Amino acid sequence: MAACTVPAAVRCSMKFLFKDTALTSKKICYTSWRTCSSSSSSCSSESPAAVSTFAETIGHYDHLVQCGSLRKDAQQRHVLQQLAQLQRTLKKYSNSIYLSPSPPRLDSKDVKSQLQKDNAPDITTAENKGGESADKEEPAPPPPKGFYIYGNVGTGKTMLMDLFYSRVENTHKKRVHFNGFMLDIHRRIHRRKQSLPKRRLGNMFTYDPISPVAMEISNETCLLCFDEFQVTDIADAMILKQLFETLFKTGVVVVATSNRPPDGTTTSEYCHTICLDAGIDYRRLDNVAAGKLYYLITNIIICVCVSIVTGPQVLTVLGRDVTLEKTCGSIADCTFEELCGRPLGASDYLEMARLFDTVFIRHVPRLTLTLKDKARRFTTLIDNFYDNKVRVVLLAAAPLDRLFVHSGGEDERDRQLLDDLGLSGEAAERLTLFTAEEEIFAFQRTVSRLMEMQTESYWVEGDRSHSNKHINT
């Protein structure tokens, strides 16, 4: 049996031909906990202008509850109260007093001038401000603490962060999805390495680009908001440790959401940790505006772009060519293997999100932990599509609530890696690499998001035919 989810809004842009199929509808519980738009008739009394005081922020949240856009949730309101306090602090906040050149980390005169270029130009110090020397200045007060908000899927973490961010009256702020942030970091590191002078024969040197990249970001912003903070790559974890140490020391305030509690001490030192988990997935609650879910039983034949010939399209991503075999305008008709069976990543999926507003994904198998690589790519794919409002139609081997199977996972590669690391079975049980905890949490998030992505309201919001929507690249 195959399951396919097709929102009613898809009928506006494509035609379906069915052969021996039965169309049935199944209503689910769902509520939209996103901020209602200023044009919404139910919230027309709310001023579209951003507000920043504590009372107005809480009042706005209460208004969203009263007009039916949000459900009353004491935990959410408590978290927003704390964010509103930070919002007021950030109104006149600047991290310029914390900025100072990072110490050179190199072993050659050949790159000393390059490092001075990296660190000197945009750094604000007492000297270039015309003030007294640093040793005569009083120590700067500690910067405001940020927030690390974690909890189960669909509890409203992203919604609260976005409410907070939209009302921070500080131009030096940035809100990013964590995947996009890591792509930006890798691009900056690559650019700096490319700008280094060529190494001379017999002259060895080392150059650490992470500190200057962190200083670069610190000079650009004093507030960073991260959605879906989750690190599963060891190389990324090493980069982030050094990067965040510099960001925090230079006064950058971080607000992050995650499904997982924080691991490191650095985060707890510079961020308040809050667990937001009332045991409710708001994406599944009943809401008339959410529309219906449709399941198609047995095989279907989908004809898209009836009047236009479909064909392949080549995407150029970071110097690589990625070909999608069947596309038509803003629609891509793909297979699961095409998207997740190849070594693709967040940068590839972000480029797809930029080019296509509707993507068909055929032949999605039941995802066990044995298929870890493909399952990870699928969760990354859905994360990026969801964040950019790409409309997705799945032809899957099972309904969403049975698509991910938390079994398997001990494949030959895992056993080989255990042997290479010299680890026993007991040691492996303590490592998420082998216990697959991160995959299980990611699976839960993906199912919750796919449920929302099937709703009528999501499809209407994802329509780019009448507007140029911003894509988070």
Side-chain angles (χ1 to χ4, degrees):
M1 179 185 294
C4 178
T5 60
V6 185
V10 75
R11 287 179 250 158
C12 299
S13 58
M14 57 195 70
K15 186 180 295 183
F16 292 87
L17 300 179
F18 305 103
K19 182 179 181 181
D20 299 327
T21 61
L23 178 63
T24 60
S25 65
K26 180 181 179 182
K27 187 176 182 181
I28 61 164
C29 293
Y30 169 90
T31 189
S32 175
W33 41 259
R34 295 182 178 277
T35 309
C36 65
S37 79
S38 58
S39 61
S40 172
S41 59
S42 63
C43 298
S44 57
S45 62
E46 180 68 21
S47 171
V51 293
S52 63
T53 66
F54 178 88
E56 287 175 322
T57 300
I58 301 304
H60 178 66
Y61 176 86
D62 291 341
H63 177 77
L64 293 176
V65 173
Q66 291 168 6
C67 73
S69 293
L70 297 177
R71 292 207 174 200
K72 187 176 181 180
D73 188 307
Q75 279 196 21
Q76 287 184 359
R77 196 175 189 277
H78 177 67
V79 172
L80 189 61
Q81 285 177 330
Q82 296 180 72
L83 289 172
Q85 293 281 11
L86 176 61
Q87 170 193 317
R88 185 169 56 184
T89 301
L90 291 173
K91 185 174 182 178
K92 297 181 179 180
Y93 176 71
S94 172
N95 66 326
S96 60
I97 60 173
Y98 304 101
L99 297 173
S100 60
S102 56
R105 300 181 64 175
L106 65 161
D107 299 326
S108 171
K109 294 179 181 179
D110 289 332
V111 293
K112 188 175 292 184
S113 60
Q114 179 66 33
L115 265 177
Q116 290 170 347
K117 271 186 196 176
D118 287 339
N119 295 323
D122 296 321
I123 305 303
T124 304
T125 63
E127 184 178 349
N128 61 35
K129 277 185 171 182
E132 297 180 357
S133 59
D135 59 345
K136 292 183 180 181
E137 288 187 348
E138 293 183 3
K145 273 194 172 187
F147 286 91
Y148 185 98
I149 306 168
Y150 74 96
N152 215 336
V153 298
T155 54
K157 300 181 297 295
T158 299
M159 179 272 296
L160 293 177
M161 185 183 73
D162 286 344
L163 275 177
F164 157 78
Y165 179 82
S166 66
R167 285 160 177 79
V168 171
E169 294 181 359
N170 190 315
T171 57
H172 297 285
K173 63 178 182 177
K174 188 173 185 180
R175 191 272 194 204
V176 292
H177 190 278
F178 189 68
N179 286 333
F181 176 75
M182 287 311 305
L183 287 173
D184 180 53
I185 294 302
H186 285 296
R187 289 192 193 104
R188 292 177 189 245
I189 291 174
H190 178 72
R191 185 174 66 247
R192 287 187 172 275
K193 286 183 175 180
Q194 290 295 103
S195 67
L196 287 175
K198 292 183 179 179
R199 188 178 64 183
R200 297 175 185 174
L201 185 64
N203 193 0
M204 301 296 293
F205 65 84
T206 59
Y207 172 59
D208 173 23
I210 300 176
S211 292
V213 164
M215 293 302 299
E216 196 176 88
I217 295 171
S218 298
N219 277 278
E220 294 170 359
T221 182
C222 62
L223 170 65
L224 273 176
C225 289
F226 295 105
D227 192 26
E228 300 300 344
F229 191 100
Q230 184 180 31
V231 185
T232 56
D233 184 88
I234 294 176
D236 283 350
M238 295 177 68
I239 291 173
L240 287 170
K241 183 178 185 298
Q242 184 179 340
L243 185 82
F244 274 99
E245 284 177 354
T246 303
L247 291 178
F248 286 136
K249 288 176 182 177
T250 52
V252 176
V253 179
V254 171
V255 175
T257 70
S258 178
N259 295 132
R260 305 286 281 133
D263 292 328
T265 56
T266 304
T267 304
S268 60
E269 183 180 352
Y270 292 93
C271 294
H272 300 288
T273 300
I274 300 178
C275 179
L276 178 63
D277 195 352
I280 302 172
D281 184 346
Y282 284 104
R283 296 189 184 105
R284 296 174 183 260
L285 291 184
D286 189 21
N287 190 321
V288 175
K292 298 178 179 179
L293 289 182
Y294 295 91
Y295 292 97
L296 298 180
I297 310 303
T298 186
N299 294 324
I300 66 170
I301 300 175
I302 305 174
C303 292
V304 297
C305 299
V306 176
S307 61
I308 304 175
V309 177
T310 61
Q313 183 164 340
V314 178
L315 288 61
T316 301
V317 184
L318 301 179
R320 299 178 292 106
D321 287 342
V322 178
T323 302
L324 297 182
E325 295 298 335
K326 192 175 182 182
T327 67
C328 171
S330 63
I331 299 174
D333 187 0
C334 308
T335 66
F336 176 83
E337 284 297 318
E338 190 176 12
L339 296 176
C340 304
R342 296 185 287 174
L344 303 181
S347 56
D348 305 293
Y349 302 139
L350 279 171
E351 180 65 9
M352 294 176 196
R354 187 182 71 84
L355 294 172
F356 307 107
D357 64 6
T358 307
V359 177
F360 287 82
I361 309 176
R362 299 171 178 266
H363 313 309
V364 180
R366 296 190 76 180
L367 296 169
T368 66
L369 295 179
T370 306
L371 302 174
K372 265 193 257 185
D373 290 344
K374 293 179 181 179
R376 283 172 178 167
R377 293 187 192 113
F378 186 67
T379 56
T380 302
L381 171 77
I382 297 303
D383 277 348
N384 284 280
F385 281 4
Y386 175 87
D387 203 47
N388 291 289
K389 288 295 174 290
V390 176
R391 303 183 290 185
V392 173
V393 178
L394 295 181
L395 178 63
L400 291 181
D401 57 354
R402 297 197 294 275
L403 186 60
F404 293 100
V405 181
H406 300 162
S407 62
E410 189 180 335
D411 57 22
E412 183 59 36
R413 287 176 301 170
D414 282 349
R415 288 191 292 273
Q416 183 62 49
L417 185 55
L418 280 171
D419 292 339
D420 292 342
L421 295 174
L423 296 175
S424 65
E426 291 181 1
E429 288 177 1
R430 295 193 296 270
L431 300 175
T432 58
L433 175 65
F434 301 104
T435 61
E437 277 186 59
E438 297 299 338
E439 282 82 1
I440 292 172
F441 274 93
F443 289 175
Q444 293 171 348
R445 181 179 71 245
T446 301
V447 168
S448 179
R449 289 186 162 183
L450 282 170
M451 297 292 281
E452 181 183 343
M453 291 168 79
Q454 295 176 76
T455 62
E456 192 80 16
S457 58
Y458 179 92
W459 275 66
V460 170
E461 192 175 353
D463 183 10
R464 301 181 199 168
S465 59
H466 303 297
S467 63
N468 295 320
K469 301 219 176 200
H470 173 70
I471 301 298
N472 299 316
T473 55

